Amino acid sequence: MGQPHPPFRFTKSRRLVRGVRRWVTAAAGALALTGGLVAVGPQASAAGLTQVTGFGSNPGNLSMYAYVPDALPAGAPLVVALHGCTQSASDYYAKSGWPKFADSYGFALVFPQTTSANNANSCFNWFEPGDTARGQGEALSIKQMVDKAVAQYGSDTRRVYITGLSAGAGMTADMLAAYPDVFAGGSLASGLPAFCANSVSTAYTCMYSPPDKSPAQWGALVRSAAPAGTTSWPRVAIWQGTADTTVKPANATELRDQWTDVWGIGQTPTRTSTLGGGATLSEYDDASGEPAVQVYSLAGMAHGLAVDPGTGPDQCGATGTYYLDTLCSSYHTARFWGLDGDAGQEPGPGSLPAPSGLAVTSVTDTTVSLSWSAVAGAASYQVYRGGTRVGGGSSAGYTDTGLASGTAYAYTVAAVDASGAVGAVSAAVAATTSGYTPTCHTASNYDHTVAGRAYQSGGSTFATGSGQAMGLWNTFTTHTLKQTAPGYYVLADSGCPA
């Protein structure tokens, strides 16, 4: 889909009858002529972009490419970036602007790549149930890339984000729904609601005339795809051009409805502001007063990714087919996620040093208390959990509340001067809440996967978290799984005490 080309899938395992294949090929050729289809670029080979192999079973038949800044420390964030139709990892790397901020803010980048072997127009199959469900197809391949990057680069599992353009944005929405325990945030450029389509025909409907579902109906699609009991959701940025005729602007409204409902907040923006490039930003705050959903509406922009070539700190990318000179979306998205250490606040000329002595003073099953050394000239402090600002105050201490039991968190803090300028961010400290109570679940392998306690790959079943093999994926094989931490299950067939 990503561009004005059909999202048809061709695989060896899914052969269509000959007449349908001829019709699809003719339709694709006609649309290519009228839509200005460009040839698919070569395999990623840009300087600094490296192919990574051996990242898992790869049931979706994808390729993994990565860009990692020199001397990137362990514990840095990770961003996964999905290209659009007819594009490649190298094309998205070269034009999206993300490498600039990986260098300046310090995080690793992973660029998954699909090919015409999976889809006639090299689109991610955002509309195929077998490629979008947790533990299956392309979705599992992308999750395996995250696991590989975390292991290879030491990325912080609490600060993993995903973004995409068009078909890549459609897949991004599906990934956020299926793996909310993996991704802390997402960004969708010219995208569609999660699980809007489940076939080629419904894909076209979503692109050109998305269903007008209620927020609760859209939200239910996300909740049904996520692991049972999920209560923590990714922060989502939505980018949409008002002149987009490939993915109609109504999709941005449906996306807003979907993710505000998931967050349990209303569809009336908390604030609206005007940016450069003809962009209007609407923000929807969560209960703590932090933006949970952002919608960027770009006046007059057609189908594509918003970029703004230049050397300024808020500029990025290169223009090209479906890379449109309006506003640097990668910059604003990175700041929304807190990758700049400022959790979406406007950067100021803060000169205050980073607070020293940040330490965890106490933990309970739902709270973490922190203290640090006061900074001369500080009027207040901002506290960040996993790169997202969660609070602060005028004293050199803070207690974070409402946390999940038995869960690890990372914290940093920055001083704010009397003018409101935020200074340097401290080194991080880690804290794990106490009191997690293990639970046991006996069910068939099929039911375990439906509940998110396990996933299937190649017809076999594996425990979520531990990856322990459980045998064939069916309703006849039964196991007992013990949850020992959030999102982590182990086999306990020999006994599972309460």
Side-chain angles (χ1 to χ4, degrees):
M1 181 270 320
Q3 285 73 33
H5 311 293
F8 298 112
R9 178 186 175 112
F10 294 92
T11 62
K12 293 181 180 178
S13 62
R14 297 186 184 182
R15 298 186 182 277
L16 302 177
V17 296
R18 183 175 302 172
V20 172
R21 183 183 291 113
R22 283 199 299 265
W23 180 87
V24 166
T25 302
L31 286 173
L33 290 173
T34 59
L37 173 62
V38 296
V40 177
Q43 296 292 306
S45 59
L49 191 65
T50 304
Q51 184 169 9
V52 180
T53 58
F55 56 86
S57 58
N58 190 21
N61 190 35
L62 303 180
S63 298
M64 175 181 178
Y65 294 87
Y67 174 73
V68 183
D70 293 338
L72 185 71
L78 171 67
V79 173
V80 179
L82 304 177
H83 63 77
C85 298
T86 77
Q87 297 177 333
S88 64
S90 61
D91 183 54
Y92 211 61
Y93 165 83
K95 295 185 175 69
S96 66
W98 278 108
K100 172 178 178 175
F101 301 109
D103 288 334
S104 57
Y105 296 155
F107 56 84
L109 281 168
V110 165
F111 293 89
Q113 179 172 283
T114 187
T115 67
S116 58
N118 287 356
N119 180 288
N121 289 300
S122 298
C123 310
F124 289 101
N125 286 307
W126 58 274
F127 54 89
E128 288 277 9
D131 277 314
T132 57
R134 185 182 177 97
Q136 296 185 35
E138 293 180 0
L140 180 55
S141 292
I142 295 169
K143 168 59 165 60
Q144 290 174 340
M145 293 182 199
V146 171
D147 294 339
K148 177 72 171 182
V150 167
Q152 188 158 318
Y153 311 128
S155 303
D156 185 347
T157 57
R158 295 171 297 272
R159 293 190 292 166
V160 179
Y161 305 87
I162 186 167
T163 184
L165 165 62
S166 199
M171 181 62 79
T172 293
D174 295 337
M175 292 297 294
L176 293 172
Y179 293 98
D181 52 333
V182 173
F183 300 104
S187 180
L188 305 98
S190 303
L192 308 102
F195 302 103
C196 181
N198 56 14
S199 66
V200 169
S201 61
T202 55
Y204 280 119
T205 299
C206 292
M207 290 163 59
Y208 300 126
S209 182
D212 185 19
K213 298 180 185 290
S214 69
Q217 289 173 318
W218 283 121
L221 292 174
V222 172
R223 286 184 287 271
S224 64
T230 297
T231 58
S232 180
W233 301 100
R235 299 181 183 272
V236 179
I238 300 160
W239 292 79
Q240 180 67 50
T242 63
D244 191 337
T245 58
T246 301
V247 174
K248 292 298 183 69
N251 281 283
T253 301
E254 306 304 328
L255 273 166
R256 178 208 63 188
D257 289 353
Q258 183 171 62
W259 290 100
T260 51
D261 180 78
V262 167
W263 273 86
I265 55 182
Q267 286 73 55
T268 300
T270 307
R271 73 191 65 84
T272 301
S273 55
T274 300
L275 308 177
T280 299
L281 168 62
S282 300
E283 298 184 283
Y284 304 79
D285 287 356
D286 62 15
S288 68
E290 295 296 327
V293 177
Q294 290 186 333
V295 179
Y296 293 82
S297 177
L298 296 107
M301 193 182 90
H303 187 69
L305 181 72
V307 298
D308 182 19
T311 59
D314 60 347
Q315 293 183 287
C316 73
T319 57
T321 305
Y322 309 114
Y323 299 94
L324 307 178
D325 189 357
T326 50
L327 190 72
C328 175
S329 57
S330 300
Y331 166 76
H332 289 275
T333 296
R335 290 183 52 252
F336 170 53
W337 291 338
L339 297 181
D340 62 342
D342 202 16
Q345 301 300 309
E346 288 298 326
S351 59
L352 292 179
S356 61
L358 178 62
V360 177
T361 57
S362 68
V363 297
T364 70
D365 58 342
T366 60
T367 67
V368 171
S369 295
L370 306 165
S371 68
W372 56 88
S373 300
V375 174
S380 63
Y381 299 91
Q382 291 185 356
V383 177
Y384 305 90
R385 181 204 318 136
T388 298
R389 184 162 66 86
V390 293
S394 58
S395 64
Y398 179 77
T399 297
D400 194 16
T401 61
L403 304 175
S405 60
T407 304
Y409 297 96
Y411 291 92
T412 54
V413 63
V416 183
D417 65 23
S419 70
V422 181
V425 178
S426 71
V429 296
T432 301
T433 51
S434 60
Y436 187 82
T437 301
T439 56
C440 299
H441 309 268
T442 301
S444 71
N445 281 354
Y446 174 82
D447 288 336
H448 278 309
T449 61
V450 171
R453 296 184 292 266
Y455 61 91
Q456 75 89 14
S457 176
S460 297
T461 312
F462 302 88
T464 299
S466 68
Q468 291 177 303
M470 299 168 58
L472 293 176
W473 185 58
N474 57 38
T475 59
F476 307 107
T477 305
T478 299
H479 285 292
T480 297
L481 291 178
K482 182 177 182 179
Q483 185 176 13
T484 59
Y488 196 93
Y489 297 84
V490 297
L491 280 168
D493 291 334
S494 60
C496 192

